[in-house]
Amino acid sequence: MTEKQAFRISTGLKDLIGRDLITDDFVAVFELVKNSFDAHAKKVLITFEEDTITIADNGKGMSRDDILNKWLFVAYSAKREGTEDDDYRDHIVGRARAYAGAKGVGRFSCDRLGSKLTLNSRAPDNAVQILDVDWRLYEEDAKEEFGAIQVELGEAADFPDDACKPTGTTGTVLRISRLRSQWNRSLFQALKRELTKLIDPFARESRAFEIEIVVTSEAEADAADAKHNASLRDDQPMKMLVNGPIENPILEVLKQRTTVIRVALVDAGAKIESTLEDRGELIYRIRENNPYPGITETELTADVYFLNRSAKAVFAHRMGLPSVQFGSIFLFRNGFRVFPIGSEDDDFFGLTRRKQQGQRRFLGGRDLIGRVEIKGVAGFNEATSRNQGLIRNPQVDDLIDCIKDKCVRRLERYVVDITWKDEFDTDVADTSRVRRDESSALVAQLVSRLAATEGVELLDYNPELIRIVDEKSQAFEASLKALELLAEETGDSALLARVDEAKARIRALQAAESEAREAERRAETRAMAAESAAAVAERRFGEEKERNAFLVAAGSLDQDTILNLHHQIIIHASDVHLGVKRMMGKLRGSESISKDEWISFLEQVSFRNSQILTAARFATKGGYRQQSSEVEADLSVYIRDYIETISTLWAPRGVGVRVQAEDGTLKRRFRPIEVGIVIDNLISNAAKAHATSIGFFLAKTKGPKPMLAVDVADDGTGWPASLKPRSRVFEKGVTTTEGSGLGLFHVKQVVEGLGGTIEVVEEPYSTDLDGAHLRIRFPS
């Protein structure tokens, strides 16, 4: 004989699905906030008082029937069943958001926080329901049945007067007392930081859901920290205030400052669209088939950011902590964070393990920050223990593979293979370094390879970065091949025509070089035959050889070099012209001119003329080898000597030139005439800005790869307010005086040709040198 029996449930179940399952106070708060979100609340107020936490919202609330048949029905979830809003449909326009929770055990988070709960809740057209739960009653006897413990349920006409509730006639107030943990300022701040990451802080659309923390006991400390924050520089991290709404400036912090790849499923999940941007500028946008069937229905979107040193400094200031401590790539399900994915010590996407295999080849969790957003479809369920992430299965593995392949590896190919190759790029807040010929050629190769990949459709790219580089650049040939491939793959006839024109120009240059080399070879042959000739014949041969050398060099003279040297001649000739004009003015005015003045004037004219002759000889390649050949010497010493022995003599009238150099050598190869051109132009510009003094301050940086830093500052009129951005001063034709706009353009050319950088410094160098301030860095 058999009989039917039912399971008996011990009061110990309360601990199993409460404190034993939800082991973190922060996660407990998250679960209760998520319940408010699911109840259509617009605002949640979290109030900490002595031994009490109140979590109140202005959501739809609960009726007596809701409490009896849903809240007190353990492990039942109307959200999972799909009936949660059946009795609320008449009060809402429609539900555009998915539920954050659907397990039916989140309510036991109250037990994690404190042993006593008073719940006040009101649904539309209902009285306020009051439920009192003493969780300790479930802890007295484990043999007692769970259902035998009674809770008190009553009602009132309105919420209690002391209820810390947001504005609204409906809603729920959870008052948790006899707290199980001690809370202090550092924990309040940590909770607030974590709450900033609870609802997707990277979301491109704002959500109508506000969270606010109120801790009256911390008001005085907040006032002190606010005063401290007001005194900070832009590169110093701010302290977080406890009281106030949860604000998330992260998108503003990351905007225009980072390299980001954005990935999204399109065409009902059949395709993946990816966009790569660098510091606010598009690099490329592509579309390809989705090879991950497990994520087709997730409506996946992802934004993964790489922060260089410049962006990390801004992040630390605005967010109050380094980006590493903020977290890495977070996962959001139905708009809420899946904890602990993205935490500093979490490696859900396997990035830290991968980084250990190649520090300079791979990006790890400490290098990246971002978000992955998915819809909570089948296969993407959170573990019941809310700090264990997603339950692993083949669908989740597809998600991980997608993020690693389409986000991280694609970002690596740009950051590691392009921007990391330029040691100066890490400190730059814009793409000026990427626009250099070497980097631009690498970007062109990257995009052309993507366009040539089977199944990848190139939708857009940046033609200002992906371009034909200067024909003199070493990267020219590689750039040309990449652009030719790109033009063929995209069917861009205009780009293909530009490539063909460039190829024709380079063929003409190569032919000219070949002819020049042949001329030189013939000259060398004649030299060998004439070695045994008489002295007269030897001299004639030498002259012939010099003429041939002139032809060889003149054949490769380029437009920018001509413009540069022409500019130098104009600088010196203009100074001679002005000097003569001044003397003529004195003569016409019958002013008495002493013998010493005439001698001084003629010495100046003679010296200027020698400068003109030097530039002219260089321009015509006479004495080419002596003036333009590379030397290996101490660059710091050469700059100091040039300024002290040359610049101080020819500096325009009324401009004092001084140089100051710290101890330390920086030996490297350079062409002396190029360094002289840089110094001459900077002094000339200072004179045009009505400066009376200009200083060159040299210092050698420390480290395995030391650099020579040169600060150049004057007391002239400085930069005009209309010049924005300041970096435009280096563009060809842009001038802040009445000049040609070539001086600083050529200075930048020469500096970058030596592998260095030049930038405008906004702050004056000192009180006496408060005009234009430039900083040049030369690598060793």
Side-chain angles (χ1 to χ4, degrees), residues 89-109:
R89 296 188 192 278
D90 294 337
H91 300 274
I92 58 175
V93 176
R95 186 177 184 92
R97 58 188 186 187
Y99 292 112
K103 294 284 186 182
V105 295
R107 65 207 70 168
F108 286 91
S109 297

Side-chain angles (χ1 to χ4, degrees), residues 101 253 255 337 398 540 669 689:
V253 171
K255 185 181 179 182
R337 182 184 169 195
D398 270 0
R540 290 175 180 172
R669 297 189 67 80

Side-chain angles (χ1 to χ4, degrees), residues 515 517-527 541 548:
E515 290 176 9
R517 282 196 298 270
E518 179 60 25
E520 187 173 27
R521 186 190 64 78
R522 290 195 301 268
E524 289 175 354
T525 301
R526 285 194 294 271
F541 169 74
N548 279 316

Side-chain angles (χ1 to χ4, degrees), residues 254-300:
L254 297 175
K255 185 181 179 182
Q256 304 289 326
R257 298 180 183 275
T258 57
T259 307
V260 57
I261 188 162
R262 307 185 191 279
V263 171
L265 290 179
V266 296
D267 294 347
K271 292 185 178 294
I272 298 176
E273 194 167 293
S274 305
T275 303
L276 180 67
E277 298 174 0
D278 189 7
R279 285 159 281 195
E281 294 200 36
L282 172 74
I283 304 300
Y284 66 74
R285 185 161 60 91
I286 60 172
R287 183 182 294 143
E288 59 193 314
N289 292 328
N290 173 18
Y292 310 103
I295 65 170
T296 301
E297 298 177 359
T298 61
E299 299 178 12
L300 166 76

